[in-house]
Amino acid sequence: MTAASPNSPTDIADILAFYASAGVDEALEDAPVNRFAEAAPRPVERTPAPVASPREDRAPERLATSSGLDASKVPDAPARTMPSAIPDEAQAALARQMAASASTLEELRQHMAAFDGCNLKATAKNLVFADGNPEAAVMLVGEAPGRDEDIEGLPFVGRSGRLLDRMLAAIGLDRTSVYIANVIPWRPPGNRTPTPHETEICRPFIERQIELVNPKVLINLGGPSAKTLLNTSEGILRLRGNWRVHTTASGTAIPAMPTLHPAYLLRTPAHKKLAWRDFLEVKAKLRSLS
């Protein structure tokens, strides 16, 4: 069975939608390539086998002798390959060390830009560090950048960002009076959910970022942010609307309000009223702290 080349606009639109959902958002060639066209088979290039050491040459013979088999019928042992590198506890420890050594937000940004221990950095275009006013009384933390954020290097600049701007404006705030960041500073490919290991690798950086900003109020946008920074396993619909506490490494207790992520609200508009109540709670808290 062979795949047919798409001809109708509907078929092409379906394929493009599939590519977009899989994270394929850029062309790698200047001209389109017909992958359905049959290509002539390429000749197999043979490379001379490496010269084995005498010990390696005798390995099949020793195996055959010990098992009673004909040495000429014993296949050569397959070549060993090194396992691919993945983040490990050493990288998490390095992240904690680098984060703790940053005395300013600019130093923290530089440390994060130099850190290569998270696999997400290899596929992201930009480090998405933060946006807004680092002297603000309110800090908002989401989960991870999306496509638009990855391109611009700023958090919450796509559709969910525009909704967040309207939510802030409803309580008299804007990007000059808040500070915005993410738990994960690099976009996961295809906007997939970050793995628990990736989250733990990046956790020291966002915790230090919160500590350096030292806001009066922390807003956790979405379940992943709330679970990571509030050390809880409860779902966001149970968490939202209830004040929690984020405690920094230096022991500072910061009131935290978990609420629904703007991207979730775009998919579930009926729950915008819940987020509105949460933001009213934030407004009241700021008045009581001023």
Side-chain angles (χ1 to χ4, degrees):
M1 179 177 178
T2 58
S5 176
N7 293 317
S8 70
T10 302
D11 292 338
I12 295 174
D14 289 342
I15 290 177
L16 291 176
F18 169 76
Y19 286 161
S21 64
V24 181
D25 48 29
E26 287 191 3
L28 299 181
E29 302 286 347
D30 293 334
V33 179
N34 186 358
R35 302 296 182 186
F36 295 95
E38 294 184 358
R42 297 181 179 179
V44 178
E45 297 182 0
R46 298 184 178 274
T47 57
V51 179
S53 64
R55 180 175 295 179
E56 291 172 341
D57 280 341
R58 290 196 299 271
E61 183 179 350
R62 289 199 306 272
L63 177 62
T65 302
S66 62
S67 58
L69 299 175
D70 183 357
S72 63
K73 297 180 180 180
V74 177
D76 293 331
R80 294 183 179 181
T81 58
M82 295 298 293
S84 59
I86 60 172
D88 54 19
E89 177 54 31
Q91 296 297 336
L94 177 60
R96 290 192 292 269
Q97 178 184 352
M98 294 176 71
S101 65
S103 58
T104 66
L105 288 171
E106 183 55 34
E107 283 186 14
L108 182 64
R109 179 198 286 269
Q110 293 174 4
H111 289 340
M112 292 168 66
F115 181 69
D116 295 324
C118 181
N119 288 345
L120 296 177
K121 181 180 179 181
T123 56
K125 292 182 176 64
N126 286 301
L127 167 72
V128 181
F129 183 71
D131 191 21
N133 182 2
E135 303 294 330
V138 178
M139 180 172 179
L140 301 97
V141 180
E143 180 185 19
R147 178 179 179 273
D148 294 328
E149 289 78 9
D150 186 35
I151 292 173
E152 295 194 30
L154 293 171
F156 289 93
V157 295
R159 288 183 63 213
S160 61
R162 291 190 290 273
L163 176 57
L164 179 60
D165 289 342
R166 294 197 296 270
M167 294 164 67
L168 291 171
I171 60 171
L173 300 174
D174 58 25
R175 296 210 178 208
T176 66
S177 54
V178 299
Y179 187 76
I180 309 174
N182 282 307
V183 171
I184 307 288
W186 297 285
R187 179 201 180 193
N191 289 349
R192 66 165 174 78
T193 301
T195 66
H197 201 107
E198 290 163 348
T199 300
E200 285 305 308
I201 286 282
C202 297
R203 177 202 285 264
F205 293 121
I206 185 59
E207 289 182 341
R208 182 58 175 158
Q209 199 168 358
I210 294 171
E211 187 173 26
L212 290 171
V213 174
N214 192 26
K216 292 182 179 179
V217 173
L218 178 67
I219 300 178
N220 299 102
L221 297 171
S225 170
K227 291 178 181 180
T228 300
L229 298 175
L230 303 179
N231 296 316
T232 181
S233 59
E234 293 182 75
I236 188 60
L237 290 176
R238 280 182 171 271
L239 287 170
R240 59 139 300 271
N242 299 296
W243 285 103
R244 300 295 178 105
V245 174
H246 171 77
T247 305
T248 66
S250 60
T252 302
I254 301 174
M257 172 56 70
T259 191
L260 303 172
H261 195 285
Y264 171 82
L265 297 176
L266 289 172
R267 299 190 301 269
T268 317
H271 283 176
K272 287 182 179 180
K273 61 184 178 182
L274 301 179
W276 169 239
R277 295 172 191 167
D278 300 342
F279 272 67
L280 288 179
E281 287 285 337
V282 171
K283 184 177 182 179
K285 175 69 75 173
L286 290 172
R287 284 179 178 173
S288 67
L289 294 175
S290 61

